[in-house]
Amino acid sequence: MIAKIQSYSLHGLTGVPVSVEVDVNNGLPAFEIVGLGDAAVKESKERVRSAIKNSGRSIPAKRITANFAPAFLKKSGSAFDLALAVGVLCATGGLIISNGNADTVFLGELSLDGSLRSATGVLPILISAITDGYKSFIIPKENLKEASFVCGAEIYAAESLSEVIDHLSGLKPLEKIAPAPHEVSPALSVYDSDMAFVKGQAVAKRALEIAVSGGHNILFVGAPGTGKTMLAKCIPSIMPDMTFEEAIETTKIYSVAGLLDGEGIVAKRPFRSPHHTATSVAITGGGSSLKPGEISLAHNGVLFLDEMPEYSRTTLETLRQPLEDGVITVSRAAGTVKYPANFILCGSMNPCPCGNYGSERKECTCTPAQIAKYRARISGPLLDRIDIKIDVDEVKYSELTDTEKSETSAEIRKRVNRTRRIQAERFKNDGIKTNADMREKQIVKYCRLSEECEKILKHAYESLGLSPRARSRIIKVARTIADMDLYDEIQPQHVLEAVNYRNV
């Protein structure tokens, strides 16, 4: 007898249908799995055998062959366990599925005692399967929260194989998961860092607000202890609220990476800060299962690279494609996948190896050759993709003891949200979200420049030796500054300020 049970595999963030076909015949007792599965798939037969036994059922002493179709597609992970167990029970006559459950998709890992463990990537799988026309799903109860944000399907969460058997046979149906509304909790607005605690640095704080408002990349250059890292850690506190679509996009990535930790949805914008010793694979993603790396985990958020010159040249150069295209292509022996990677790059660096170049209080001990070599660790093409470069000045003692109340992150965040709403309305038919995402077509359409603005740009282009890319990025920053000032058209002062952020 042959049984066919539907499950799903993941290729990047896209779910791919996998049919688990189980055949039982009277040959020598054996349990074989075919269909290009990895070690976790091959080992599933032992988990399934024990789970069925400890769920009060039995497997007859016959030859069982399970095929994971299509056979040419590599399968990985343990999420096929539940589908395989149901297929074995159906093929051996131990379970008869009622008509209402005939087209159900099964996901979940089985423990030896028959309980269901959580599976990674459930959210993107559900979204892909619904797009493919499937409407009924059985998943582990541990994945209930993330699944509750999916609409348009009947989703059931079970704790054990026994519950699934009772549901499929009609003895004790499971309760359908109720859709959960997406709400921003007030607790999400509480952060450890706040712009009110940053003393001095008025220019740096202004630049940071511009970067967050328009989604621009930013680089802080300054001596040790001037507050570069503190400024960067304040970014989450002024980031705009996430839309439901952005939250789902980010949650899909974290679901595939297995980083949800029981949370239903990622409601806070990510702030990723990998150590400078992180490998290029950790940054870009990959490995045997082609999981997303730090670049993708920062999607819709911030990737902070503290002391950028300390990162390897190979690691830094991997940032070029995502900074330009908003996606990262991961190519490994296991295959090629694309992950979204639209983030704000925030970097920090010292002006020289000792950190005192340009300091008024400390003498620099570096030679010109050492300074040039240190700065060359960040390539010109990568620097060209950074919209705002700002010198972080040394803080005077009088500024540290100043008792005048500084502007809080909550106040800045209100302005950032207002500026983002202006951009959302502008680009509602263009498929982009921020000024930083604009291509030449949108720049021509939304960034009309007066004759005076063009003169300023031409002078900057020639005197600073800028590239065409740098010119476009200056215009994007100027557009953001104009939005912050509530101007429909870019003014000369906006262009002048944007040019100043390139001259570091």
Side-chain angles (χ1 to χ4, degrees):
M1 182 178 177
I2 295 180
K4 293 184 179 180
I5 305 298
Q6 192 63 45
S7 189
Y8 258 75
S9 179
L10 269 175
H11 184 71
L13 294 183
T14 304
V16 181
V18 172
S19 179
V20 181
E21 304 169 343
V22 181
D23 176 62
V24 178
N25 57 55
N26 294 321
L28 292 174
F31 196 155
E32 297 292 337
I33 293 179
V34 297
L36 209 58
D38 66 357
V41 174
K42 297 290 185 182
E43 292 170 353
S44 64
K45 61 184 179 183
E46 302 302 333
R47 293 192 294 271
V48 167
R49 194 192 302 273
S50 295
I52 290 176
K53 176 177 71 70
N54 291 315
S55 298
R57 302 297 173 115
S58 61
I59 300 177
K62 294 185 177 182
R63 183 174 183 82
I64 301 173
T65 304
N67 176 43
F68 289 63
F72 66 85
L73 180 71
K74 291 183 179 180
K75 325 295 187 309
S76 62
S78 54
F80 303 107
D81 288 5
L82 181 58
L84 180 58
V86 172
V88 169
L89 288 170
C90 290
T92 57
L95 173 63
I96 299 176
I97 298 179
S98 60
N99 291 334
N101 298 303
D103 295 324
T104 300
V105 175
F106 297 85
L107 299 168
E109 176 187 330
L110 285 171
S111 296
L112 298 184
D113 62 359
S115 59
L116 273 173
R117 295 179 180 271
S118 64
T120 59
V122 166
L123 181 64
I125 285 176
L126 290 176
I127 293 173
S128 296
I130 291 171
T131 303
D132 291 341
Y134 292 95
K135 299 297 182 184
S136 179
F137 304 86
I138 295 181
I139 64 171
K141 199 162 189 176
E142 292 181 19
N143 296 110
L144 184 150
K145 285 187 177 180
E146 62 178 297
S148 65
F149 291 94
V150 178
C151 301
E154 295 182 354
I155 305 172
Y156 304 93
E159 291 184 331
S160 66
L161 178 59
S162 297
E163 288 187 3
V164 175
I165 293 171
D166 292 342
H167 173 79
L168 295 175
S169 58
L171 296 176
K172 190 178 180 182
L174 295 166
E175 289 188 12
K176 187 170 66 172
I177 296 176
H182 174 60
E183 297 178 352
V184 178
S185 170
L188 295 178
S189 301
V190 179
Y191 298 90
D192 295 330
S193 300
D194 195 285
M195 293 287 274
F197 302 129
V198 180
K199 299 297 183 179
Q201 307 298 0
V203 176
K205 287 194 281 189
R206 164 74 173 175
L208 191 58
E209 182 180 345
I210 294 170
V212 174
S213 296
H216 304 288
N217 305 314
I218 184 169
L219 175 64
F220 294 117
V221 182
T226 52
K228 302 186 298 294
T229 303
M230 187 176 185
L231 281 164
K233 288 186 176 179
C234 288
I235 294 179
S237 67
I238 66 171
M239 287 290 281
D241 300 329
M242 289 186 83
T243 64
F244 181 67
E245 291 74 18
E246 289 174 328
I248 289 294
E249 284 178 5
T250 308
T251 304
K252 285 166 66 175
I253 298 170
Y254 278 70
S255 179
V256 171
L259 297 176
L260 284 182
D261 294 329
E263 295 295 326
I265 197 168
V266 178
K268 265 187 177 182
R269 291 188 181 272
F271 182 84
R272 306 295 299 185
S273 180
H275 194 261
H276 69 265
T277 57
T279 64
S280 58
V281 172
I283 299 294
T284 61
S288 59
S289 55
L290 294 175
K291 286 195 174 183
E294 293 291 339
I295 284 176
S296 297
L297 293 172
H299 181 61
N300 287 324
V302 178
L303 179 67
F304 175 49
L305 301 183
D306 199 8
E307 300 300 336
M308 276 186 73
E310 301 302 326
Y311 290 79
S312 72
R313 183 68 174 256
T314 303
T315 299
L316 291 177
E317 292 307 304
T318 60
L319 297 172
R320 285 204 207 177
Q321 183 199 11
L323 289 180
E324 201 69 31
D325 302 330
V327 296
I328 178 71
T329 303
V330 182
S331 298
R332 301 288 184 267
T336 300
V337 297
K338 277 189 177 182
Y339 286 114
N342 193 358
F343 55 85
I344 296 174
L345 173 65
C346 177
S348 72
M349 63 178 288
N350 295 326
C352 66
C354 77
N356 298 322
Y357 180 73
S359 173
E360 297 178 357
R361 293 182 291 177
K362 294 182 181 180
E363 184 178 353
C364 177
T365 60
C366 305
T367 65
Q370 288 174 324
I371 296 173
K373 183 179 179 182
Y374 177 78
R375 294 202 169 201
R377 292 180 185 176
I378 304 177
S379 69
L382 181 57
L383 279 174
D384 208 34
R385 288 169 167 83
I386 298 177
D387 305 346
I388 299 174
K389 308 180 187 77
I390 193 74
D391 277 325
V392 181
D393 299 325
E394 293 175 326
V395 182
K396 298 177 182 178
Y397 191 82
S398 59
E399 292 175 320
L400 291 175
T401 56
D402 187 4
T403 57
E404 185 178 346
K405 189 177 180 181
S406 300
E407 199 172 27
T408 65
S409 290
E411 293 170 321
I412 297 173
R413 188 174 187 175
K414 288 180 182 178
R415 293 200 299 268
V416 170
N417 275 318
R418 182 190 66 189
T419 307
R420 285 290 184 106
R421 285 193 294 269
I422 292 172
Q423 294 167 69
E425 178 64 25
R426 175 186 298 134
F427 302 128
K428 61 184 179 182
N429 297 320
D430 293 282
I432 58 176
K433 301 172 184 175
T434 64
N435 290 328
D437 296 332
M438 285 192 292
R439 302 295 181 189
E440 290 304 318
K441 180 181 179 180
Q442 286 87 28
I443 291 176
V444 171
K445 184 177 180 181
Y446 300 115
C447 303
R448 291 183 293 272
L449 299 177
S450 65
E451 186 177 342
E452 187 177 354
C453 290
E454 286 287 7
K455 286 181 180 178
I456 295 170
L457 263 180
K458 181 182 178 182
H459 178 72
Y461 186 87
E462 294 174 348
S463 62
L464 299 178
L466 300 177
S467 67
R469 180 192 288 117
R471 178 186 179 276
S472 296
R473 290 183 177 269
I474 288 173
I475 295 174
K476 294 177 187 179
V477 174
R479 177 69 268 175
T480 298
I481 299 171
D483 290 340
M484 292 170 63
D485 291 345
L486 303 180
Y487 278 85
D488 292 331
E489 300 291 337
I490 297 173
Q491 303 300 310
Q493 66 267 26
H494 303 144
V495 177
L496 281 169
E497 185 176 359
V499 169
N500 283 332
Y501 293 135
R502 300 288 305 190
N503 191 21
V504 174

